[in-house]
């Protein structure tokens, strides 16, 4: 594995994105554009399913949306209804068979599903279904839902979906498409976002509102946790078919995943990120000359940090946006190019300065260490690292691709040990309380990767937590 690939892996990864259109003659084209707007949520594969003349048509491929869908494929996807999906593999291997939406024909008719999230009991359900004779085509947790729908005793597809979802646990923001309707569902805890939009008479469902802006649609509202919205010939119908549970919306959507121009869980992401930076500046000021964001995710927080501390903001690191994943195996002599492929310091801004670097998180620490060294090599007299979230001490089981606990540096090292590892002059994290102040509330958020306290138990996690010796020292 190349260093560049390793650098990519030193991150919590985006999960997936879903987008659907009902009631527009160019539904597939709009969905294609919407998937462009959600590309940051998954770059492994993408797929699109439309409905025309009572049949579902699909196109899928590996890689970025722009590469997969050509004119002739989009022309094929006729109809006024479409749903699409961009995928980063959080469960199941990354290959074309796992690219969503998944489409089946069953006694309930044709149906396709697009999923953002992760089901914590999918392995168990799958084992039970396989014992009972079911044959799975993919290694994805999402396919379990389709099997449960197909096996449901309810003939009506909406009732069968509810029946299936009552048997799964975990995180799901789902879109379904049938020949005559699209259906959006958010799990009762609301881990992942899902919003309703409007474009003229057409209705849109999307993971993030930034995709609505792209097609000149307006944000109507969030789909509420536990809500099922059916958009069909009878208009928009809303149901609450599941027992209410405490809401635990993912705080990391604000810290890193969502685009800053999105409104997620009712709040502007850039505004929250800036407030995270402000709180960080108040809690962890530094005696320095300039504030430099680690682009792109550190930019909004760096603005807030600069406002709170009065230190000038400088774009002292420039990101090369045109680097995808590289799989070269560099020889020792060119290994340090790993980070340099993506970032380059602006020497004239940094030389002789005491620099505060702002990032959103530290995962393994390997990338932070390289960036600190890079800034020092560019002439900084001191490098202070500030992180606009609390230490990430646990993995995510709710739809975010994270390294194993043992690979998270903060799960087994103190802040000072991490500082020494990344070779910074000082290191400061925002506290969890500071994060809550920035978001404006604490009650309806998932914070498990900062606390190791999981609202929906994961079977393997329960086992490992019993034997794990947690050294959560900050
Ligand atoms: Fe989000 Fe972390 Fe909770 Fe996963 S564990 S849903 S990344 S807050």
């Amino acid at each position: 594995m190349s260093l560049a690939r390793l650098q990519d892996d030193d991150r919590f990864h985006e999960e997936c994105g879903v987008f659907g259109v009902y009631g527009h003659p160019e539904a597939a084209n709009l969905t294609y554009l919407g998937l462009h707007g959600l590309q940051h949520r998954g770059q492994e594969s993408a797929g699109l399913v439309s409905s025309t003349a009572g049949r579902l048509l699909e196109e899928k491929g590996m890689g970025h949306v722009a590469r997969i869908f050509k004119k002739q494929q989009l022309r094929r996807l006729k109809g006024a209804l479409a749903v699409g999906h961009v995928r980063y593999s959080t469960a199941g291997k990354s290959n074309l068979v796992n690219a969503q939406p998944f489409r089946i024909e069953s006694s309930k008719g044709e149906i396709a599903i697009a999923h953002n999230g992760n089901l914590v009991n999918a392995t168990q359900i799958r084992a039970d279904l396989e014992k009972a004779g079911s044959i799975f085509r993919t290694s994805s947790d999402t396919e379990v839902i389709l099997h449960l729908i197909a096996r449901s005793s309810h003939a009506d597809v909406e009732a069968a979906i509810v029946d299936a979802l009552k048997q799964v646990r975990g995180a799901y923001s789902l879109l379904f498409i049938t020949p005559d309707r699209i259906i959006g569902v958010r799990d009762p805890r609301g881990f992942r976002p899902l919003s309703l939009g409007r474009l003229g008479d057409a209705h849109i469902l999307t993971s993030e509102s930034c995709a609505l802006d792209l097609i000149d649609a307006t944000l109507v509202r969030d789909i509420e946790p536990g809500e099922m919205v059916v958009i069909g010939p009878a208009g928009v119908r809303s149901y609450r078919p599941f027992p209410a549970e405490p809401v635990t919306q993912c705080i990391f959507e604000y810290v890193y995943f969502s685009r800053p121009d999105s409104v997620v869980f009712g709040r502007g992401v850039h505004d929250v990120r800036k407030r995270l930076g402000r709180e960080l500046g108040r809690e962890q000021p530094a005696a320095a000359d300039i504030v430099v964001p680690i682009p792109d995710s550190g930019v909004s927080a760096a603005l807030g940090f600069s406002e709170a501390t009065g230190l000038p903001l400088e774009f002292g690191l420039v990101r090369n946006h045109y680097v995808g994943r590289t799989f070269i195996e560099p020889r020792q002599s060119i290994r340090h190019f790993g980070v340099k492929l993506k970032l380059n310091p602006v020497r004239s801004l940094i030389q002789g300065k005491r620099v505060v670097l702002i990032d959103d998180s530290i995962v393994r620490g390997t990338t932070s260490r390289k960036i600190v060294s890079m800034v020092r090599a560019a002439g900084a007299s001191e490098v202070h690292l500030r992180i606009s979230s609390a230490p990430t001490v646990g993995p995510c089981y709710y739809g975010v691709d994270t390294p194993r606990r043992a690979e998270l540096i903060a799960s087994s090292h103190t802040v000072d040990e991490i500082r020494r590892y990344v070779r910074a002059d000082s290191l400061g994290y925002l506290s969890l309380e500071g994060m809550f102040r920035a978001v404006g509330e604490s009650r309806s958020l998932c914070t498990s990767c900062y606390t190791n306290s999981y609202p929906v138990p994961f079977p393997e996690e329960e086992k490992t937590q019993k034997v794990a010796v947690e050294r959560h020292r900050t």
Side-chain angles (χ1 to χ4, degrees):
M1 187 182 286
S2 76
L3 265 190
R5 175 67 205 245
L6 276 174
Q7 185 200 344
D8 283 330
D9 284 348
D10 195 18
R11 275 272 170 216
F12 276 19
H13 278 288
E14 300 85 352
E15 327 95 355
C16 294
V18 295
F19 193 90
V21 175
Y22 178 90
H24 196 286
E26 291 202 66
N29 284 342
L30 289 176
T31 304
Y32 165 74
L33 291 171
L35 293 183
H36 269 282
L38 300 176
Q39 186 75 84
H40 60 289
R41 295 183 76 87
Q43 300 95 43
E44 300 267 353
S45 66
L48 233 159
V49 172
S50 75
S51 167
T52 184
R55 291 307 311 263
L56 299 186
L57 305 170
E58 72 172 34
E59 291 286 350
K60 291 179 195 177
M62 300 300 292
H64 287 202
V65 173
R67 235 193 80 204
I68 297 167
F69 301 104
K70 303 289 179 237
K71 222 189 265 174
Q72 61 272 24
Q73 283 147 320
L74 291 171
R75 267 199 209 127
R76 220 190 116 242
L77 296 172
K78 296 189 189 340
L81 294 70
V83 301
H85 186 265
V86 287
R87 176 167 194 266
Y88 187 89
S89 53
T90 52
K93 290 194 185 110
S94 175
N95 51 36
L96 191 55
V97 76
N98 283 324
Q100 296 187 28
F102 295 146
R103 183 175 58 93
I104 57 156
E105 290 198 47
S106 74
S107 58
K108 281 89 189 170
E110 266 193 301
I111 185 166
I113 183 174
H115 178 201
N116 173 203
N118 188 47
L119 307 177
V120 299
N121 63 340
T123 309
Q124 186 55 52
I125 295 176
R126 183 179 175 128
D128 294 345
L129 289 172
E130 282 177 333
K131 250 186 245 162
S134 292
I135 296 168
F136 282 75
R137 285 195 308 166
T138 75
S139 59
S140 161
D141 59 328
T142 310
E143 195 184 349
V144 159
I145 299 173
L146 284 181
H147 280 263
L148 292 174
I149 292 170
R151 293 168 65 96
S152 171
S153 57
H154 296 272
D156 172 63
V157 71
E158 290 169 27
I161 289 172
V162 172
D163 186 26
L165 294 180
K166 281 185 173 167
Q167 298 171 64
V168 301
R169 288 190 291 115
Y172 53 85
S173 280
L174 295 165
L175 293 190
F176 296 92
I177 181 169
T178 73
D180 71 345
R181 69 198 82 172
I182 64 171
I183 297 165
V185 193
R186 228 173 132 203
D187 69 73
R189 287 183 169 268
F191 280 104
R192 311 255 70 89
L194 187 64
S195 299
L196 181 67
R198 188 92 197 227
L199 177 65
D201 292 335
H203 301 279
I204 320 284
L205 288 164
T206 177
S207 291
E208 282 185 45
S209 66
C210 63
L212 296 173
D213 301 336
L214 189 70
I215 58 167
D216 285 333
T218 49
L219 174 64
V220 176
R221 64 176 179 87
D222 278 356
I223 304 303
E224 296 295 322
E227 183 181 2
M228 172 165 157
V229 169
V230 181
I231 309 173
V236 181
R237 289 173 289 137
S238 168
Y239 302 95
R240 303 271 179 173
F242 313 109
E245 290 185 40
V247 172
T248 49
Q249 303 177 125
C250 171
I251 199 170
F252 218 82
E253 292 280 352
Y254 290 129
V255 173
Y256 173 65
F257 296 130
S258 294
R259 262 180 38 174
D261 50 337
S262 283
V263 176
V264 166
F265 310 141
R267 295 176 184 84
V269 175
H270 167 76
D271 298 343
V272 173
R273 250 171 230 174
K274 201 167 158 189
R275 288 199 295 273
L276 288 165
R278 257 187 230 140
E279 294 295 337
L280 180 64
R282 283 180 198 130
E283 285 188 7
Q284 302 282 351
D289 301 309
I290 56 171
V291 180
V292 172
I294 296 180
D296 291 324
S297 50
V299 172
S300 303
L303 269 169
F305 190 94
S306 168
E307 270 184 20
T309 58
L311 294 174
L313 178 81
E314 294 284 7
F315 289 96
L317 286 168
V318 174
R319 184 173 164 195
N320 178 2
H321 286 269
Y322 303 100
V323 179
R325 288 193 162 179
T326 50
F327 293 93
I328 54 165
E329 282 291 347
R331 292 189 309 268
Q332 196 61 38
S333 57
I334 58 166
R335 273 192 185 278
H336 61 286
F337 279 90
V339 163
K340 285 194 163 186
L341 274 170
K342 282 205 166 168
L343 293 176
N344 198 29
V346 183
R347 188 173 279 272
S348 60
L349 292 174
I350 286 172
Q351 187 115 39
K353 301 270 173 48
R354 296 172 299 167
V355 174
V356 190
L357 284 176
I358 309 289
D359 206 353
D360 56 82
S361 47
I362 299 178
V363 179
R364 293 179 174 90
T366 48
T367 302
S368 307
R369 182 177 156 116
K370 287 173 196 152
I371 295 171
V372 169
S373 298
M374 179 192 278
V375 171
R376 246 189 242 290
S381 60
E382 293 175 18
V383 183
H384 303 273
L385 184 58
R386 296 292 180 270
I387 305 299
S388 61
S389 67
T392 38
V393 294
C396 175
Y397 299 107
Y398 312 128
V400 173
D401 186 59
T402 56
R404 288 179 300 121
R405 181 186 309 281
E407 295 171 66
L408 296 168
I409 192 167
S411 73
S412 56
H413 293 76
T414 64
V415 171
D416 195 53
E417 285 167 346
I418 299 170
R419 179 196 66 75
R420 271 185 271 143
Y421 176 74
V422 301
R423 298 177 182 151
D425 292 290
S426 73
L427 169 64
Y429 287 89
L430 182 59
S431 67
L432 197 55
E433 293 68 32
M435 293 176 75
F436 293 151
R437 281 195 298 275
V439 176
E441 60 127 351
S442 61
R443 291 162 60 92
S444 63
L445 296 166
C446 175
T447 55
S448 302
C449 48
Y450 303 112
T451 60
N452 273 319
S453 166
Y454 290 87
V456 179
F458 183 77
E460 287 308 307
E461 178 65 19
E462 284 175 318
K463 270 186 236 157
T464 49
Q465 276 197 345
K466 279 181 197 145
V467 294
V469 181
E470 300 293 350
R471 295 170 61 215
H472 181 193
R473 298 168 289 158
T474 55

